[in-house]
Amino acid sequence: MHDELPSGIQKVIDSLRLNTSSDFCGLACLSGTMLRWKYTSGASNERVKRMEMRPGQDLVGTALRTGRTVLTDVQSTGEHIPGRCPLMLAERLVCAIAVPVFQDGSVPGAVLLVGSRLPCTFSPEKIRQAEQVAIQLESKVYG
């Protein structure tokens, strides 16, 4: 994957944040063994774009590792504690949806994150929107 991604991605990220009434939306891409936030919308500071993370046991790492959508909101009772995810901690996100973005339809190489700074419950429609955008981003990121 190239370091410079097509500029149409920023528009898609901005649009998803607005359409889901979320506080933050971002796309993290694998670069070697590290995840970097290439595109963000609604970030409270520029520090996020310089952030490098090893995919771990947090929400983002779990989505990347399992290839499945993972979420944490007021209804979920999983192991995904917002404080364990560096991005969620930096952006003060308490609820989020992490959706893998697949390379060649088989291996996740990026993660799309939609988050809220206030406690919320994600509707099936919001989850579906995030998953549809992740599919749309496959061709933009890897095409």
Side-chain angles (χ1 to χ4, degrees):
M1 180 175 36
H2 309 295
D3 243 17
E4 287 302 316
L5 299 174
S7 60
I9 293 174
Q10 185 63 52
K11 187 176 178 181
V12 171
I13 298 294
D14 291 337
S15 182
L16 178 62
R17 183 178 65 84
L18 294 172
N19 291 340
T20 58
S21 303
S22 301
D23 295 315
F24 177 88
C25 188
L27 179 68
C29 299
L30 267 179
S31 180
T33 59
M34 302 297 277
L35 272 171
R36 299 187 75 176
W37 293 95
K38 297 283 190 178
Y39 289 91
T40 62
S41 179
S44 60
N45 61 61
E46 286 297 308
R47 196 173 79 195
V48 172
K49 289 217 179 177
R50 294 189 307 269
M51 196 180 270
E52 285 189 339
M53 309 179 334
R54 288 196 195 291
Q57 301 299 314
D58 61 15
L59 196 73
V60 174
T62 300
L64 191 67
R65 206 173 52 258
T66 64
R68 293 189 177 160
T69 299
V70 184
L71 64 97
T72 182
D73 64 9
V74 295
Q75 286 190 334
S76 63
T77 56
E79 72 224 24
H80 309 293
I81 302 162
R84 289 179 59 192
C85 177
L87 179 272
M88 289 183 71
L89 190 61
E91 284 296 321
R92 300 179 317 280
L93 302 176
V94 294
C95 298
I97 306 168
V99 184
V101 178
F102 291 91
Q103 184 173 1
D104 301 323
S106 60
V107 180
V111 176
L112 176 66
L113 185 99
V114 178
S116 172
R117 292 185 179 97
L118 298 173
C120 69
T121 301
F122 292 110
S123 68
E125 178 56 32
K126 280 188 183 181
I127 297 166
R128 199 170 19 262
Q129 271 184 289
E131 290 173 337
Q132 288 171 343
V133 167
I135 291 167
Q136 184 184 354
L137 285 173
E138 288 178 22
S139 62
K140 291 183 179 295
V141 174
Y142 302 110

